[in-house]
Amino acid sequence: MQQLMKQAQKMQLQLAAAQAELAETEVSGSAAGGLVTATVTGSGELLSIRISPDAVDPEDLETLQDLVVVAVRDATRNAGELASAKLGPLTGGMGGFGIPGL
């Protein structure tokens, strides 16, 4: 029983270290060939949006808004893939999103 407790504690420490690493890792996503780029942390926190002047058309703000959404979704998906790769072995393949406390 004591051995099992030690293994659980070790796994908990590894999981905490992986989560901390994810929180510090920056992941980007883009739309329209890089005209709009979003950067998030590996844990999914939005850090920045970069918009190329070429993407700005005052007559068509709807397209720019759509590009921002696509870039954020791309970055978030990339962060989810990173979280799955880092946390998957520790969480039995459940990844880091959608699990309370992760």
Side-chain angles (χ1 to χ4, degrees):
M1 185 67 152
Q2 190 175 27
Q3 182 66 19
L4 186 60
M5 290 297 290
K6 284 183 181 181
Q7 285 179 320
Q9 287 175 337
K10 181 180 177 183
M11 187 174 171
Q12 187 175 15
L13 289 173
Q14 290 173 331
L15 185 59
Q19 288 172 323
E21 183 180 340
L22 282 173
E24 294 177 9
T25 303
E26 293 185 8
V27 181
S28 294
S30 64
L35 289 178
V36 177
T37 302
T39 303
V40 300
T41 64
S43 57
E45 179 184 350
L46 181 63
L47 297 175
S48 67
I49 300 282
R50 187 186 57 77
I51 301 172
S52 167
D54 294 337
V56 180
D57 178 357
E59 301 296 320
D60 186 13
L61 291 179
E62 187 174 321
T63 296
L64 177 57
Q65 293 165 349
D66 291 343
L67 292 176
V68 169
V69 170
V70 169
V72 171
R73 284 183 182 161
D74 188 42
T76 302
R77 180 181 42 79
N78 291 339
E81 290 173 2
L82 177 65
S84 291
K86 293 268 185 201
L87 301 177
L90 299 172
T91 61
M94 297 174 75
F97 297 122
I99 302 172
L102 292 183

